[in-house]
Amino acid sequence: MNKKRIVIALLSLAMGVSYSWAQTASSIVEDFKPTPVNQPGSQFPQVNSEGRVRTQILAPEAKRVQLDIGAVKYDMVKDANGLWTGESAPQDVGFHYYQLNIDGASVPDPGSLFFFGACRWGSGIEIPSNDQDMFAVKDVPHGHVHEVLFPSKSTNTSRRAFIYTPPGYEKETSKRYPVLYLQHGYCENEYSWPNQGRANLIMDNLIAEGKAKPFIIVMTYGMTNDISFGGLRNFDIKPFQTVLVDELIPYVDSNFRTLADQKNRAMAGLSMGSMETKSITTNRPEVFSYIGLFSGAMFNPEEVKDKSTVKLIFQSCGSKERPDGVKQSTEALKKAGINAVSYVSEGTAHEFHTWRRSLHQFAQLLFK
Amino acid sequence: MNKKRIVIALLSLAMGVSYSWAQTASSIVEDFKPTPVNQPGSQFPQVNSEGRVRTQILAPEAKRVQLDIGAVKYDMVKDANGLWTGESAPQDVGFHYYQLNIDGASVPDPGSLFFFGACRWGSGIEIPSNDQDMFAVKDVPHGHVHEVLFPSKSTNTSRRAFIYTPPGYEKETSKRYPVLYLQHGYCENEYSWPNQGRANLIMDNLIAEGKAKPFIIVMTYGMTNDISFGGLRNFDIKPFQTVLVDELIPYVDSNFRTLADQKNRAMAGLSMGSMETKSITTNRPEVFSYIGLFSGAMFNPEEVKDKSTVKLIFQSCGSKERPDGVKQSTEALKKAGINAVSYVSEGTAHEFHTWRRSLHQFAQLLFK
């Protein structure tokens, strides 16, 4: 794309006018392929080697159809049969939520699988990355993801959790395992880590490579979406802390073969889940010894009450977020004598590929 | 709806013209409520006490928006703000797939959760029934649904199965359980029974009531959708039979605490899954002793090779399907000395409520 086109595009965006990428068709690399998160048999959406997304939808009577991804709406173009086609600008590697806009209606793309993010189930797309092998389905032993409904007196409900048990868990019936409690972000839920996060496949592969100790991962809904709009400051950790520490952990410890003590328990979370992790591990230091904060909260050394009980503080973000903040905070923790590790995901922003990579790094440091 | 309106509606349908239910607004009972399968926080779709579905979508620039359910497209009506609202005719109780049509584009309703049926993930709706309590989430012990990836040499893939283990399975580590292999229908997949089928909740409740013995349920993809269009006659059972009997059953028997013999193994399926069940239990009589055929295949007495090894043949369908066929076939089996049971689901057709009820009945007869 030349400078003139960039100026036109930026002006169009600034003026609230959608910019038609069809104008740049000659510059698009024509090596689009259907993605691994398409609906079974669906030829669209597709992604090319530049990371552009192309999709199609039949809408013969529509006046305007747009592909809405990365906070930009790209006009699609109609052919004589009423089939609309359009492409986005190149996207960062990894997973992104997106939708279509048909004559003003925001709807999922029926060609994609659906994922929970942005506070709803909607379309997702996978842009190939050079490290996607870390969550590929390989011919290795696979753990199980258990969907459980655990009793919660404090909320008077049966609540869902997904529990990853590592390969061999069902057979080695005398072995007990450490546990990581892993939280999603705001407007996501307990499906986010096993689905778009690919937590189970990341673990299967790490364990097969001998890079991580086998452990259990527990993923439940962090009640993050129940706060009122703009109310992050008013978020009260107590109700979720009660569910997690006083209800879910006892359930897991009595229904799974866990090593049920502080030194064998970790908590981590992404974005708002990292804020929850920081609060809960601070409030209940006798429960967790390993702490992971992905793209959000960070610790100051003076916030760590008892350094002797903290085995690890891992802090990470994408290179397109605030990597300097993560690095500086981690250096300060190290100087204070705390075992702290920072990680920066190259070329990614506040999105799930940053968090997959963060889990991939963090998991290798746990329970060793 | 009076006779004149019925005639108009039928004529409209016959002429391929959509009939606007807005014309009958005065006759619609205004007690619509959001449904249990709505997206979190979504106020639409809604269902009223007549079983009508009402939904809304903002589409300010659209010319025509329709609610497409039960093979009928109902015109929706636009207000001054571009918000479209529309209602369907009363639907049968239970679960139905549906979609929206926006200026010719068939898309999921973003207000609903998504289910796999009609060969794709799309919108689903739940019409209240007088027996919906059978799959309600109650304060009873809950089993787990394990997502597993099992190795399949014959297809050179890791294949997904969902495996229900009953309440207590994780704790009573010396107990072994019988197993039901449960198949979905054409254009459905391994998610269909645990999601819209609610198989795990039906079992949790039956076990809590003491009406069913605790057993394991295994649900995997029946490869039903891989046949070419119109090719049911060309469907070859062999590839799936190999996956199920020679790969999945050994995996389950070595990874779960099963009672691994013929008298503790059942197979059932709905629609095309019932055809698979009939073929596989006929081809491999040494593997299964209990057989459930929901809305599809039926046995003639002469097709049962060795009556002594068949403990039960259960045949069912909805009252809006061919209940006489099911009853007659079952009577013939009984006369031939086979333990056969028929069941007819009152007021339902070839849909999931028929199959939930069938499982609810069948489960009470198993392994006793």
Side-chain angles (χ1 to χ4, degrees):
Chain A
M1 195 158 77
N2 60 30
K3 273 190 189 172
K4 191 178 163 193
R5 274 188 172 146
I6 291 172
V7 170
I8 290 169
L10 290 176
L11 274 175
S12 303
L13 289 172
M15 293 162 67
V17 176
S18 57
Y19 178 68
S20 173
W21 290 94
Q23 296 168 28
T24 67
S26 61
S27 68
I28 290 176
V29 179
E30 283 297 338
D31 57 359
F32 287 90
K33 291 189 192 113
T35 89
V37 293
N38 281 21
Q39 292 243 11
S42 183
Q43 286 303 300
F44 287 89
Q46 299 186 344
V47 173
N48 77 353
S49 54
E50 300 171 281
R52 291 184 200 272
V53 178
R54 169 178 284 170
T55 196
Q56 282 193 342
I57 189 163
L58 188 70
E61 299 160 34
K63 286 192 295 284
R64 189 169 65 145
V65 179
Q66 295 171 306
L67 167 59
D68 181 357
I69 184 167
V72 178
K73 289 177 180 159
Y74 302 90
D75 280 343
M76 295 169 69
V77 175
K78 189 182 184 175
D79 75 6
N81 300 317
L83 185 65
W84 295 75
T85 305
E87 299 87 17
S88 75
Q91 305 292 307
D92 288 344
V93 296
F95 181 86
H96 312 281
Y97 306 110
Y98 77 102
Q99 61 184 354
L100 299 182
N101 192 287
I102 302 174
D103 283 347
S106 292
V107 293
D109 180 349
S112 89
L113 295 180
F114 304 128
F115 300 87
F116 195 82
C119 280
R120 62 171 183 237
W121 290 90
S123 291
I125 191 95
E126 186 73 42
I127 310 293
S129 58
N130 60 15
D131 58 352
Q132 64 191 9
D133 196 53
M134 71 178 165
F135 54 80
V137 177
K138 297 182 194 170
D139 186 16
V140 298
H142 295 288
H144 296 176
V145 178
H146 307 231
E147 180 181 353
V148 311
L149 292 168
F150 65 96
S152 162
K153 281 190 182 163
S154 71
T155 60
N156 199 26
T157 54
S158 291
R159 304 184 72 81
R160 184 185 290 108
F162 290 104
I163 302 188
Y164 169 82
T165 53
Y169 179 89
E170 307 291 346
K171 284 185 180 176
E172 296 167 41
T173 53
S174 62
K175 191 172 173 184
R176 304 187 80 87
Y177 297 81
V179 188
L180 163 64
Y181 289 81
L182 183 61
Q183 292 307 128
H184 58 85
Y186 179 59
C187 276
E188 296 174 339
N189 68 11
E190 67 273 21
Y191 289 87
S192 304
W193 267 113
N195 286 6
Q196 56 266 47
R198 310 238 169 208
N200 53 323
L201 294 169
I202 290 171
M203 289 308 303
D204 289 347
N205 291 333
L206 280 175
I207 293 165
E209 293 162 15
K211 290 183 178 168
K213 277 191 72 168
F215 55 84
I216 292 168
I217 302 182
V218 179
M219 298 157 279
T220 196
Y221 172 53
M223 301 162 73
T224 52
N225 312 339
D226 301 347
I227 56 175
S228 54
F229 180 74
L232 278 185
R233 287 186 184 196
N234 302 325
F235 183 73
D236 179 5
I237 192 66
K238 287 287 162 52
F240 177 57
Q241 183 174 306
T242 299
V243 167
L244 185 78
V245 179
D246 301 326
E247 296 173 342
L248 180 54
I249 289 180
Y251 175 88
V252 171
D253 284 340
S254 77
N255 284 278
F256 290 82
R257 298 194 315 280
T258 62
L259 292 164
D261 56 8
Q262 193 253 8
K263 70 176 190 291
N264 286 295
R265 214 179 276 121
M267 181 171 183
L270 71 90
S271 192
M272 180 134 185
S274 73
M275 295 166 62
E276 297 184 321
T277 299
K278 182 179 171 182
S279 296
I280 292 176
T281 57
T282 299
N283 295 343
R284 302 295 295 271
E286 79 285 8
V287 180
F288 305 95
S289 56
Y290 294 84
I291 301 168
L293 306 176
F294 310 161
S295 296
M298 286 177 260
F299 269 105
N300 293 319
E302 62 270 23
E303 292 174 315
V304 181
K305 289 177 192 169
D306 182 357
K307 293 173 197 171
S308 68
T309 66
V310 174
K311 291 202 166 191
L312 170 69
I313 296 179
F314 174 96
Q315 304 186 140
S316 70
C317 71
S319 66
K320 297 187 175 185
E321 298 188 88
R322 294 185 304 147
D324 289 346
V326 164
K327 286 176 195 164
Q328 285 158 18
S329 163
T330 305
E331 283 310 308
L333 291 170
K334 281 183 189 172
K335 274 184 194 151
I338 296 162
N339 180 30
V341 172
S342 69
Y343 169 73
V344 175
S345 164
E346 199 49 48
T348 64
H350 198 72
E351 292 193 291
F352 240 106
H353 206 62
T354 300
W355 308 321
R356 293 161 168 170
R357 286 174 169 172
S358 295
L359 174 63
H360 186 257
Q361 294 294 319
F362 182 58
Q364 299 181 51
L365 305 174
L366 288 182
F367 311 120
K368 284 186 168 170
Chain B
M1 197 158 76
N2 61 30
K3 272 192 190 172
K4 191 177 163 193
R5 277 190 172 143
I6 292 172
V7 171
I8 291 169
L10 290 176
L11 275 175
S12 303
L13 288 173
M15 293 162 67
V17 176
S18 56
Y19 177 68
S20 173
W21 289 96
Q23 296 170 29
T24 67
S26 62
S27 67
I28 290 177
V29 179
E30 282 298 337
D31 56 359
F32 286 91
K33 291 189 192 112
T35 88
V37 293
N38 282 22
Q39 293 243 9
S42 184
Q43 286 304 301
F44 289 88
Q46 299 186 345
V47 174
N48 77 354
S49 56
E50 298 171 282
R52 291 185 200 271
V53 178
R54 169 179 285 170
T55 196
Q56 283 193 340
I57 190 163
L58 188 70
E61 300 159 33
K63 287 193 295 282
R64 190 169 66 145
V65 178
Q66 295 172 307
L67 167 60
D68 181 357
I69 183 167
V72 179
K73 288 178 182 160
Y74 301 91
D75 280 342
M76 296 169 69
V77 175
K78 188 182 185 175
D79 76 5
N81 300 315
L83 184 65
W84 295 75
T85 305
E87 298 85 19
S88 75
Q91 304 293 307
D92 289 344
V93 297
F95 181 86
H96 311 282
Y97 305 109
Y98 79 104
Q99 61 184 357
L100 299 181
N101 193 285
I102 302 174
D103 283 346
S106 292
V107 293
D109 180 348
S112 87
L113 294 181
F114 304 128
F115 300 86
F116 196 82
C119 281
R120 63 171 182 236
W121 289 91
S123 291
I125 192 92
E126 185 73 42
I127 309 295
S129 58
N130 60 14
D131 57 353
Q132 64 191 9
D133 196 54
M134 72 178 162
F135 53 80
V137 178
K138 297 183 193 171
D139 186 16
V140 299
H142 295 288
H144 296 175
V145 179
H146 305 231
E147 180 182 352
V148 310
L149 291 169
F150 65 96
S152 163
K153 280 190 185 164
S154 71
T155 60
N156 198 27
T157 55
S158 290
R159 304 185 72 82
R160 183 185 291 108
F162 290 105
I163 302 188
Y164 170 81
T165 53
Y169 179 88
E170 307 290 347
K171 285 186 180 176
E172 295 167 42
T173 53
S174 63
K175 192 171 174 185
R176 305 187 77 88
Y177 298 81
V179 187
L180 164 63
Y181 289 81
L182 184 61
Q183 291 308 126
H184 58 84
Y186 179 59
C187 276
E188 296 174 338
N189 68 12
E190 67 274 22
Y191 289 88
S192 303
W193 266 114
N195 286 6
Q196 55 267 45
R198 312 239 166 206
N200 53 323
L201 294 168
I202 290 170
M203 289 308 303
D204 288 347
N205 292 332
L206 279 175
I207 293 166
E209 294 161 14
K211 290 182 178 168
K213 276 191 73 167
F215 55 83
I216 293 168
I217 303 182
V218 179
M219 299 158 277
T220 197
Y221 172 54
M223 301 163 71
T224 52
N225 311 339
D226 301 347
I227 55 176
S228 55
F229 181 73
L232 280 184
R233 287 187 182 194
N234 302 325
F235 183 74
D236 179 6
I237 193 64
K238 287 288 161 54
F240 177 58
Q241 182 174 307
T242 299
V243 167
L244 185 79
V245 179
D246 300 326
E247 296 174 341
L248 180 54
I249 290 180
Y251 175 88
V252 171
D253 284 339
S254 76
N255 283 278
F256 290 82
R257 297 193 316 277
T258 63
L259 292 163
D261 57 8
Q262 193 251 9
K263 70 176 188 291
N264 286 295
R265 215 180 273 120
M267 182 171 181
L270 70 90
S271 191
M272 181 136 185
S274 73
M275 293 165 63
E276 295 183 321
T277 299
K278 182 179 172 183
S279 295
I280 292 175
T281 57
T282 300
N283 295 343
R284 301 295 295 271
E286 80 285 8
V287 180
F288 305 95
S289 58
Y290 293 84
I291 301 167
L293 307 176
F294 310 161
S295 294
M298 286 177 261
F299 269 105
N300 292 321
E302 62 270 24
E303 292 173 315
V304 181
K305 288 176 192 168
D306 181 357
K307 294 173 197 170
S308 69
T309 67
V310 174
K311 290 201 164 188
L312 171 68
I313 294 178
F314 175 96
Q315 303 186 143
S316 70
C317 70
S319 67
K320 297 188 174 185
E321 298 189 88
R322 292 186 307 147
D324 289 347
V326 164
K327 286 176 196 164
Q328 286 159 16
S329 162
T330 305
E331 284 310 307
L333 291 170
K334 281 182 188 173
K335 273 183 194 150
I338 295 163
N339 181 30
V341 172
S342 68
Y343 169 73
V344 175
S345 164
E346 200 49 46
T348 63
H350 198 71
E351 292 192 291
F352 241 105
H353 206 63
T354 300
W355 307 321
R356 293 161 169 171
R357 285 173 169 171
S358 296
L359 174 62
H360 185 256
Q361 295 293 319
F362 182 57
Q364 299 180 52
L365 305 173
L366 289 183
F367 312 119
K368 284 186 168 171

